[in-house]
Amino acid sequence: MTPRVDQDELKRTVALAAVDLVAASLDAGQIVGVGTGSTTNHFIDALAKLKDRFGGAVSSSVASAQRLAAHGVRVVDLNEVDAIAVYVDGADEVEPGSALVKGGGGAHTREKIVAAAADRFICIVDESKVVDELGAFGVPVEVVPMARRSVAARLRALGGDVRERRGFVTDNGNAVLDLHGLAVTDPDGLEARINNLAGVVENGIFAVNRPDLVLVGSPDGVREIAP
Ligand code: 5RP
């Protein structure tokens, strides 16, 4: 009988594969972009062991910045760097064309900003995140607090059900609405449509900024999905 490999072990395996990949091309002085979440935490812990081989990290969240700093990694502001060599982050869903849903941790706005600023985006997931079509997880939407109600009504008009993350405030001081019950058949179109609603800061569909490479951890090893 094949031994059961737990999800966190798969997250760690894929994170270590990403560190190997990044380390192979990293030059002294280069900046690494770092995402948010439990998979990325494994990446941070392993990357930190190489901290003398690169210039520092731009973080996508307060939580990841604190973890990096606790390991002694230099954390730099995005506005202080000329380039980010590579951005590494997890995801909540990945479809075969490499479009993602992110934002389970509510950090998707800063994640998208850092991903967009990076020369290369590597997404790291365990196999439970791979889906045929995005949508079952829901689409997290960061909203300016005064627009919670008006944006929720507009999102419902798209055909989904909207739930507010009560008691949750993003690193940017905003609220998060989760749009459920909508199959994301056109990730590029829905990403743009949601972001066009007044009061929306950013949504968790990464179609325009889809990763250059997805590494998937499974009990059989790490495989790649490229768009
Ligand atoms: C946070 C994210 C995370 O990358 C996503 O939720 C995956 O998290 P985890 O690695 O803990 O499964 O988008 O906003």
Side-chain angles (χ1 to χ4, degrees), residues 11 36-40 89-92 102-108 111 126 129:
K11 290 182 180 195
T36 301
S38 54
T39 315
T40 306
D89 197 359
D92 299 298
K102 291 182 45 54
H108 55 278
E111 291 170 343
D126 66 84
K129 308 294 184 66

Side-chain angles (χ1 to χ4, degrees), residues 64-204:
S64 288
Q66 287 172 343
R67 195 174 186 102
L68 286 158
H71 279 302
V73 178
R74 181 174 160 247
V75 180
V76 281
D77 192 281
L78 178 59
N79 290 308
E80 290 167 8
V81 302
D82 294 327
I84 297 173
V86 61
Y87 175 67
V88 178
D89 197 359
D92 299 298
E93 288 184 336
V94 183
E95 53 91 89
S98 298
L100 313 175
V101 164
K102 291 182 45 54
H108 55 278
T109 298
R110 293 189 186 195
E111 291 170 343
K112 199 177 283 188
I113 292 168
V114 185
D119 295 339
R120 190 163 187 232
F121 175 11
I122 300 173
C123 180
I124 50 175
V125 292
D126 66 84
E127 63 178 359
S128 71
K129 308 294 184 66
V130 179
V131 297
D132 292 333
E133 184 176 76
L134 303 177
F137 180 83
V139 178
V141 183
E142 179 164 353
V143 176
V144 173
M146 71 170 285
R148 281 195 319 257
R149 188 168 172 170
S150 57
V151 170
R154 299 285 180 203
L155 292 175
R156 271 187 210 102
L158 295 175
D161 177 33
V162 178
R163 287 177 226 151
E164 184 182 340
R165 276 190 218 178
R166 299 230 173 247
F168 181 84
V169 178
T170 70
D171 286 349
N172 311 309
N174 295 314
V176 172
L177 303 175
D178 288 296
L179 175 61
H180 289 279
L182 211 60
V184 183
T185 51
D186 172 16
D188 293 83
L190 189 62
E191 180 181 18
R193 206 162 162 198
I194 294 174
N195 280 356
N196 274 340
L197 301 175
V200 169
V201 178
E202 189 54 78
N203 73 82

